[in-house]
Amino acid sequence: MAKRYPAYELYLYGEGSYAEEHKMLPLTGIPVLFLPGNAGSYKQVRSLGSIALRKAEDIDFKYHFDFFTVNFNEELVALYGGSLQKQTKFVHECIKTILKLYKGHEFAPKSVAIIGHSMGGLVARALLTLKNFKQDLINLLITQATPHVAPVMPLDRFITDFYMTVNNYWILNARHINFTTLSVAGGFRDYQVRSGLTFLPKLSHHTSALSVVSSAVPKTWVSTDHLSIVWCKQLQLTTIRAFFDLIDADTKQITQNPKKKLSVLNHHFIRHPAKRFEENPAIISDLTGTSIWVPVKVSKWTHVAYNESDKTYFTFPLANHRKIYTHVYCQSTMLDTNSWIFGCINSTSTCRQGIDLSWKAELLPTIKSLTLRLQDYPSLSHLVVYVPSTYGSKFVVDCEFYKKETRSIQLPVTHLFSFGLSSRKVMLNTSGLFYNIELLNFGQIYQAFKINIVSKCSGVKEEITSIYKLHIPWSYEDSLTIAQLPSSTEISLKLHIARPENDSRVALLKMYTSSDCQYEVTIKTSFSQILGQVVRFHGGALPAYVISSILLAYGGQLYSLFSTGHCLEYATMLDKEAKPYKVDPFVLMIKFLLGYKWFKELWDLLLLPELDAIILTSQSMCFPLVSLILFLFGTCTAYWGGLLSSASVRLLSSLWLVLNSPPELPKDIKIISPDLLFLTIVLIVISWTTCGAFAILLTYLYYVFKTVQLQASLTAFKNSQTVNLKHSRRNERKSNHHKDSSVRYLHLSANDAEDSLRMHNTVINLLTWIVLLSMPSLIYWLKNLRYYFKLSPDPCKPLAFILIPTVAILGNTHTVSIKSSKLLKTTSQFPLPLAVGVIAFGSAHLYRVPCFVFISLLLHVLCNFM
């Protein structure tokens, strides 16, 4: 096994006496396997393992967990997909090895629980695609910030193929997947993996999968970045509590009951009722013992408990309230886990038994609250609130009856293109404890707003806290904001998941307010956050738009060479040619035509891949004007990248002139030479035996060297030309005819060199992006060089084979050698359709982009021979 996977290792985490006792692996606990993600360390298991150990110590090791972790050598699997299959197979071997360590134990486990961070979660899901893998080996899968839907940056086809295999298997075999899966996202602080990618597909026949954002997880209520999600204390405490509640007392392992697993995860990660988990909670509770019963007939009631010596039951008769009100709302600031609110059937002043309504409550950061619709409980005669005896502690219990329409306020959001200049406002003047503000016309991911809540309180001496909760009913991505009153609080309003087309539910701003305060809620469009949403959802496509802009400028330069005989400046052509209307209409037209059956059949007949715009539409990621925004960003990036590359060439040429004797301008232009052939063969051999990206980098450096050499020659020639003109003024009349002819020749040569430099600088810009897109596989190869000399599989090898000779010939190509080519006009027209192809097929599949660049470079090379 060590020979098959020399870079991978399996560890068991331990500390203190536990580590000493388990050095010889006499394992008796419950196995949990942690899988790190992209460039992740196996040591990230420490937070989970340490908390689990402390929890086990608290219960005298009645149950305990053994945390295993895999060292994937911190591989960049999010950028290079060639090792994902290898990692999956190694994890399978790890699971079998782990279970062997428990053989002979009375309560030996038959399966393991897996926690996967980032790409580790995807590797865990991929286990099911292995031929010899048995699903019974996994009983629970929890993923943290794992991009399940699609890769963040699809830089090679191995990643996209891996995703397609895994997701297709899970969709087609959803009925047969018998273990529970929970996906936890980091929220808006995770800039590496947006939360929309972490949501598992909702399938009607597969209900054992939950997806939630960390800001919505009870007792966590915070967003995490991509790394801190593995050590966020609030989240890891919730995870370990869930693990201990999942234990079956009979088998002393994680339960095999899927309903219990789902109810435990719902309890800890979705809606926490402020009670300890019970598999079969008692619905009827005894309300006996020495206690005081106090009837309450008012519709709004507050009780402040401080040093209470007696237990008290406050009873609310419902008969009269049903005639006037539709709902009842109660809240308590005592955050213990005891039952606190009950319903009595056919009672008068007291009742011996009551229905425990505490299980329907919801835990919030500073209160636990319960809202009941009276119509749903026609058999209840009284509502009972229990206040225990307290010594030294103080808490407040509030209840109020209300009509739904008095607490539900509709607030339409402002228009997308109002740019924050207009706003909508609502005032809350009544003395209620709870309000629902319905945010109408809000359900798209490109919408982003700022909500400002100003609270004004009168006659309040003590500190008051309000809670503002954004509730998104179609996905678990709620977020909470706590405000100390009086205050002005700003809340960002944006989505991870767009509202489904057939869903009519409305996003809510739930306000848990104080009756002593007035609230003013203002909403307006946030243009900066709209741009943030564009970057969050489409930032990965920016390289495609940059390359598309460079291709348009490249085509313009070739056409200027054809029409005028001179190559214009890159910046000039970029300004003239890089226009969105040259690309976007073609993409939209193709998308429109693909809606017709005959065109789709023709498309499939030509074996063309699916249009990226259609893929984005299926993921509800179609923004209005998003392509225009990305084109503007792409053109700006292309412009500054061009300035940087040309400045770098000039700087390197100056350094060349300092270190070496000034070279002369080439007079005999040889497109193909023996030295060039030898260099090409060497680079191809390097690509075959080592890494394609490494050979591409060497080819790129050679091309830059040739361009720097040409720049140095031109600079040296111009300097010598200035000196020669000063010394030749005395003999100007005598050698007038000779000088004119020589200057004319040199001047033309200098112009050709300048034209060639402009063309070479543009090609360098294109090649720079090819190198950047192939860099992950190069980094992976360098990191694993001590294990493997040859990268396998190599996503860049086919590209290297065709790019190396093309770029090598381009290094010897000058504009003077292609001016008279019959192919030049066609070559100058090709970058436009190639730029369209980059956007149509490369914005969601970046690994396709270099192919379009290669075609334009190949046509440039062919101009030397035709």
Side-chain angles (χ1 to χ4, degrees):
M1 197 61 62
K3 290 180 180 179
R4 286 173 59 191
Y5 308 101
Y8 300 160
E9 296 169 317
L10 175 65
Y11 286 86
L12 170 66
Y13 176 81
E15 56 186 67
S17 58
Y18 172 88
E20 292 296 326
E21 292 170 4
H22 291 77
K23 277 186 176 179
M24 300 306 293
L25 299 178
L27 301 181
T28 58
I30 304 167
V32 180
L33 178 61
F34 175 79
L35 304 179
N38 177 58
S41 170
Y42 65 96
K43 297 178 182 179
Q44 291 172 329
V45 75
R46 191 174 81 88
S47 297
L48 286 163
S50 184
I51 292 172
L53 185 60
R54 300 291 173 269
K55 181 84 171 173
E57 288 173 348
D58 290 342
I59 58 174
D60 295 326
F61 283 91
K62 180 182 178 182
Y63 309 113
H64 73 275
F65 289 88
D66 300 318
F67 274 84
F68 297 85
T69 180
V70 175
N71 179 16
F72 285 133
N73 196 30
E74 300 183 10
E75 292 177 340
L76 297 172
V77 286
L79 304 177
Y80 169 74
S83 62
L84 283 168
Q85 192 67 23
K86 185 164 55 177
Q87 286 190 2
T88 306
K89 291 178 180 178
F90 181 72
V91 171
H92 185 199
E93 299 298 334
C94 288
I95 292 173
K96 292 189 289 185
T97 301
I98 289 168
L99 294 177
K100 287 178 183 177
L101 298 175
Y102 294 87
K103 278 193 173 179
H105 175 52
E106 182 183 359
F107 300 101
K110 297 179 181 179
S111 57
V112 301
I114 297 180
I115 299 177
H117 172 241
S118 187
M119 295 298 286
L122 187 71
V123 168
R125 288 179 63 216
L127 286 167
L128 274 64
T129 64
L130 298 178
K131 291 182 180 179
N132 300 322
F133 184 78
K134 298 177 181 178
Q135 284 189 38
D136 296 339
L137 296 178
I138 302 176
N139 52 43
L140 177 68
L141 170 61
I142 296 179
T143 65
Q144 298 175 334
T146 296
H148 292 293
V149 178
V152 178
M153 294 288 286
L155 295 178
D156 65 58
R157 62 180 179 83
F158 300 119
I159 295 178
T160 54
D161 290 347
F162 189 80
Y163 265 90
M164 189 175 295
T165 302
V166 173
N167 286 332
N168 285 346
Y169 182 90
W170 275 63
I171 291 171
L172 296 174
N173 299 276
R175 295 179 185 274
H176 311 293
I177 297 174
N178 52 18
F179 62 84
T180 306
T181 307
L182 170 70
S183 174
V184 183
F188 287 110
R189 286 187 182 176
D190 190 341
Y191 298 112
Q192 295 184 43
V193 177
R194 61 178 179 85
S195 297
L197 292 176
T198 66
F199 279 68
L200 291 161
K202 293 182 179 179
L203 304 172
S204 58
H205 46 270
H206 179 53
T207 56
S208 296
L210 291 173
S211 301
V212 63
V213 180
S214 62
S215 60
V217 175
K219 296 189 177 183
T220 302
W221 295 307
V222 292
S223 175
T224 65
D225 62 57
H226 193 64
L227 289 179
S228 67
I229 197 169
V230 299
W231 50 256
C232 171
K233 185 177 180 181
Q234 298 98 307
L235 187 59
Q236 304 315 324
L237 282 170
T238 299
T239 305
I240 296 303
R241 290 190 197 106
F243 267 115
F244 275 89
D245 282 341
L246 285 165
I247 298 174
D248 187 324
D250 296 329
T251 63
K252 293 188 177 181
Q253 295 293 326
I254 289 179
T255 180
Q256 297 297 322
N257 185 346
K259 289 185 178 179
K260 180 180 178 180
K261 285 190 279 191
L262 208 58
S263 60
V264 168
L265 295 179
N266 269 294
H267 179 93
H268 287 283
F269 288 90
I270 305 299
R271 185 185 176 93
H272 198 296
K275 288 179 67 66
R276 288 191 176 92
F277 174 80
E278 294 179 24
E279 186 175 358
N280 297 304
I283 303 298
I284 305 299
S285 298
D286 293 327
L287 307 179
T288 57
T290 56
S291 55
I292 301 173
W293 289 80
V294 179
V296 180
K297 296 183 179 180
V298 295
S299 62
K300 185 176 180 180
W301 168 82
T302 299
H303 177 75
V304 180
Y306 183 65
N307 282 335
E308 301 280 344
S309 58
D310 298 316
K311 301 175 183 178
T312 307
Y313 288 100
F314 293 92
T315 62
F316 298 81
L318 301 179
N320 292 329
H321 290 310
R322 289 184 196 277
K323 299 175 183 178
I324 307 172
Y325 306 106
T326 60
H327 290 70
V328 60
Y329 169 80
C330 292
Q331 66 180 33
S332 173
T333 59
M334 187 174 188
L335 303 181
D336 63 349
T337 57
N338 296 318
S339 296
W340 62 287
I341 190 164
F342 307 88
C344 289
I345 300 174
N346 299 325
S347 172
T348 53
S349 59
T350 62
C351 61
R352 295 184 177 181
Q353 288 185 328
I355 298 173
D356 192 351
L357 300 173
S358 306
W359 290 101
K360 298 185 180 297
E362 180 182 14
L363 178 66
L364 295 168
T366 57
I367 59 172
K368 51 186 177 183
S369 67
L370 173 69
T371 303
L372 297 177
R373 192 170 73 159
L374 297 178
Q375 185 182 349
D376 295 338
Y377 301 90
S379 60
L380 295 186
S381 61
H382 287 74
L383 188 70
V384 179
V385 175
Y386 171 63
V387 176
S389 56
T390 56
Y391 297 97
S393 61
K394 179 181 179 180
F395 65 95
V396 181
V397 183
D398 298 278
C399 283
E400 66 172 346
F401 292 84
Y402 65 90
K403 289 183 179 180
K404 181 183 178 181
E405 55 268 22
T406 61
R407 301 302 170 84
S408 295
I409 302 168
Q410 293 184 340
L411 179 61
V413 298
T414 50
H415 195 272
L416 178 67
F417 297 109
S418 62
F419 300 108
L421 299 176
S422 63
S423 62
R424 290 198 170 98
K425 188 181 298 183
V426 65
M427 296 288 296
L428 306 180
N429 293 317
T430 57
S431 57
L433 297 172
F434 174 80
Y435 290 91
N436 270 335
I437 296 181
E438 299 178 3
L439 302 169
L440 303 181
N441 307 321
F442 174 62
Q444 302 300 324
I445 52 177
Y446 56 79
Q447 293 176 297
F449 307 92
K450 285 183 180 179
I451 298 177
N452 190 48
I453 303 175
V454 179
S455 55
K456 296 178 181 179
C457 306
S458 58
V460 178
K461 295 181 180 179
E462 296 184 358
E463 190 178 82
I464 301 176
T465 300
S466 283
I467 299 172
Y468 311 131
K469 179 179 180 180
L470 284 171
H471 174 59
I472 311 300
W474 55 85
S475 65
Y476 298 117
E477 53 176 287
D478 297 359
S479 60
L480 283 83
T481 303
I482 303 173
Q484 302 294 332
L485 307 185
S487 65
S488 177
T489 306
E490 189 173 273
I491 303 173
S492 295
L493 177 61
K494 48 194 175 183
L495 292 172
H496 298 292
I497 298 287
R499 181 172 57 197
E501 291 182 3
N502 56 350
D503 198 326
S504 59
R505 289 175 292 178
V506 178
L508 298 175
L509 173 61
K510 293 187 173 184
M511 297 180 62
Y512 300 87
T513 57
S514 170
S515 58
D516 298 317
C517 301
Q518 292 182 343
Y519 297 83
E520 180 183 272
V521 181
T522 307
I523 186 170
K524 60 181 180 180
T525 302
S526 174
F527 184 67
S528 61
Q529 293 194 49
I530 290 174
L531 291 179
Q533 288 289 84
V534 171
V535 173
R536 178 175 286 106
F537 283 85
H538 291 279
L542 185 61
Y545 283 86
V546 176
I547 293 171
S548 180
S549 297
I550 299 174
L551 280 173
L552 291 173
Y554 182 47
Q557 285 182 311
L558 288 170
Y559 187 77
S560 68
L561 186 64
F562 166 75
S563 58
T564 66
H566 293 285
C567 180
L568 297 181
E569 289 283 353
Y570 168 75
T572 304
M573 297 313 301
L574 189 68
D575 179 55
K576 182 180 178 182
E577 298 292 335
K579 305 296 182 184
Y581 60 79
K582 293 188 175 183
V583 175
D584 284 345
F586 292 100
V587 178
L588 294 174
M589 190 184 303
I590 296 170
K591 181 183 175 183
F592 174 76
L593 290 173
L594 282 170
Y596 292 96
K597 186 178 179 180
W598 64 269
F599 191 81
K600 184 70 170 69
E601 290 175 352
L602 178 62
W603 188 272
D604 294 337
L605 188 65
L606 295 173
L607 301 178
L608 292 172
E610 190 173 12
L611 200 68
D612 284 357
I614 294 178
I615 297 174
L616 297 178
T617 303
S618 66
Q619 298 175 5
S620 300
M621 284 176 54
C622 268
F623 284 26
L625 304 180
V626 66
S627 188
L628 175 62
I629 295 170
L630 287 173
F631 219 104
L632 292 174
F633 279 121
T635 305
C636 289
T637 306
Y639 173 77
W640 289 107
L643 289 182
L644 180 64
S645 65
S646 60
S648 301
V649 167
R650 289 193 184 93
L651 183 64
L652 290 171
S653 66
S654 301
L655 187 64
W656 175 276
L657 289 172
V658 171
L659 299 176
N660 296 281
S661 57
E664 294 182 356
L665 285 172
K667 295 182 180 179
D668 297 328
I669 299 173
K670 293 182 179 180
I671 304 299
I672 299 177
S673 63
D675 293 341
L676 187 67
L677 286 172
F678 176 74
L679 178 65
T680 302
I681 293 170
V682 168
L683 290 172
I684 290 175
V685 170
I686 290 173
S687 173
W688 178 262
T689 57
T690 58
C691 171
F694 180 55
I696 290 174
L697 177 63
L698 294 177
T699 307
Y700 170 76
L701 294 175
Y702 164 77
Y703 191 86
V704 171
F705 168 75
K706 295 290 289 184
T707 306
V708 168
Q709 198 175 39
L710 181 62
Q711 178 70 61
S713 302
L714 181 62
T715 304
F717 168 75
K718 286 183 177 179
N719 292 338
S720 63
Q721 184 75 354
T722 305
V723 174
N724 289 337
L725 284 173
K726 291 180 180 179
H727 286 285
S728 62
R729 281 178 182 174
R730 296 178 183 177
N731 302 322
E732 187 175 354
R733 292 180 181 177
K734 295 181 181 179
S735 58
N736 190 35
H737 178 73
H738 174 72
K739 179 180 178 299
D740 286 345
S741 61
S742 63
V743 169
R744 184 167 178 262
Y745 171 76
L746 292 173
H747 179 67
L748 284 173
S749 182
N751 283 342
D752 287 335
E754 286 183 350
D755 287 344
S756 298
L757 271 174
R758 290 168 185 159
M759 192 66 71
H760 286 315
N761 280 327
T762 304
V763 173
I764 285 176
N765 289 337
L766 291 170
L767 293 177
T768 300
W769 282 98
I770 291 179
V771 171
L772 290 175
L773 292 175
S774 63
M775 195 57 67
S777 59
L778 174 62
I779 296 172
Y780 178 89
W781 174 71
L782 290 172
K783 198 169 186 178
N784 290 276
L785 200 54
R786 54 179 172 167
Y787 305 113
Y788 315 103
F789 187 72
K790 181 180 180 180
L791 181 63
S792 179
D794 190 348
C796 296
K797 186 175 291 182
L799 177 65
F801 286 166
I802 56 178
L803 194 64
I804 288 169
T806 304
V807 174
I809 295 173
L810 269 181
N812 283 353
T813 299
H814 297 274
T815 54
V816 70
S817 61
I818 64 172
K819 280 181 182 179
S820 58
S821 173
K822 296 178 181 179
L823 194 61
L824 182 57
K825 184 177 180 180
T826 304
T827 302
S828 66
Q829 294 170 341
F830 244 83
L832 175 58
L834 293 173
V836 174
V838 166
I839 302 302
F841 302 108
S843 54
H845 299 83
L846 291 176
Y847 63 90
R848 296 173 181 167
V849 172
C851 300
F852 293 98
V853 176
F854 162 73
I855 293 171
S856 63
L857 297 181
L858 178 63
L859 290 172
H860 189 161
V861 168
L862 292 177
C863 287
N864 289 288
F865 309 104
M866 297 176 66

